Amino acid sequence: MSSTKSKKKHRARTQRYTSNVFAMFNQAQIQEFKEAFNMIDQNRDGYIDKEDLLEMMTSLGKDPSNEYLEKMITEAPGPINFTMFLTLFGEKLNGTDPEDVIQNAFACFDVNDSGLINDEFLKESLMTMGERWSEDMVEDLFHGAPIHNGLFDYKEFTRTLKHGSRDKEDDQVPSIPPEELAFKPNTST
């Protein structure tokens, strides 16, 4: 009987030491990370090392310095296998603001509380208020963003930013005519 108890304790202990990083991502995200990991792991040994990074970056037309590569490798506390790769991304992604904070920042521009902002108004605001963004920065933000009929869906954008994109069949954007938006960009120049 005591041998059964020790086996059970051993199983529980093993479970305690497994990484919780897989719980941070859904299956589709994990699969995307696995594909990215395999692309970087050029020698297919199951680990990303400095030589793998050099080969991958060279194939992209980059010429990184040895110091740069070393800095990238030393961000990990140990060898970079797939679990460590996921852990590094999890730490980086969790370093962003919480979803509600990001949504509240966009909500300042949403006078109708619809979850939608006129894209031209948002662009003008980003380029003229506070830390002014360049047009290139705004275009980078809008690239692939959920903009339909001139309306930026910041709730969907925030969800995608924090959780990844969802299937197209799930995409249902509410329809609010642009003329119902209280703020419109100043187009008279």
Side-chain angles (χ1 to χ4, degrees):
M1 179 129 179
S2 65
S3 66
T4 307
K5 283 184 180 179
S6 67
K7 284 183 184 177
K8 286 182 180 178
K9 283 183 183 179
H10 178 67
R11 276 189 225 134
R13 184 175 179 172
T14 303
Q15 185 129 14
R16 242 185 309 162
Y17 289 127
T18 59
S19 175
N20 192 26
V21 71
F22 290 94
M24 296 172 64
F25 303 105
N26 65 38
Q27 276 307 117
Q29 290 172 314
I30 292 172
Q31 184 60 39
E32 288 177 17
F33 282 123
K34 185 66 174 171
E35 290 172 16
F37 179 85
N38 288 335
M39 290 174 64
I40 298 169
D41 182 18
Q42 298 281 313
N43 61 10
R44 303 285 183 249
D45 64 353
Y47 293 90
I48 295 175
D49 55 25
K50 197 164 44 169
E51 289 74 28
D52 291 325
L53 289 176
L54 178 62
E55 285 183 41
M56 189 259 319
M57 294 182 86
T58 303
S59 73
L60 296 172
K62 304 290 183 188
D63 186 22
S65 68
N66 194 38
E67 295 79 28
Y68 180 78
L69 295 171
E70 193 64 42
K71 184 179 175 190
M72 288 179 74
I73 291 295
T74 57
E75 282 192 37
I80 306 173
N81 61 12
F82 181 63
T83 303
M84 180 61 69
F85 185 76
L86 269 183
T87 301
L88 291 170
F89 271 95
E91 289 171 355
K92 295 289 185 191
L93 293 174
N94 281 336
T96 61
D97 288 325
E99 194 167 347
D100 63 325
V101 171
I102 298 170
Q103 281 192 8
N104 288 339
F106 282 116
C108 294
F109 300 99
D110 181 11
V111 294
N112 294 331
D113 195 30
S114 63
L116 304 169
I117 305 169
N118 179 287
D119 64 340
E120 289 298 321
F121 172 68
L122 181 60
K123 179 179 181 176
E124 180 180 317
S125 298
L126 290 170
M127 292 174 62
T128 59
M129 295 179 173
E131 289 186 34
R132 294 182 174 102
W133 286 31
S134 69
E135 190 164 349
D136 286 343
M137 291 168 71
V138 175
E139 292 304 319
D140 285 346
L141 172 73
F142 284 177
H143 180 75
I147 299 174
H148 306 283
N149 299 321
L151 299 173
F152 176 79
D153 183 344
Y154 66 87
K155 289 183 178 180
E156 177 63 21
F157 178 78
T158 305
R159 195 202 65 72
T160 302
L161 183 67
K162 295 300 284 184
H163 306 288
S165 62
R166 63 182 178 177
D167 295 337
K168 291 287 184 194
E169 61 196 38
D170 295 338
D171 192 20
Q172 293 183 4
V173 178
S175 178
I176 297 178
E179 59 270 6
E180 288 184 21
L181 294 174
F183 288 100
K184 295 184 177 112
N186 184 1
T187 57
S188 60
T189 30

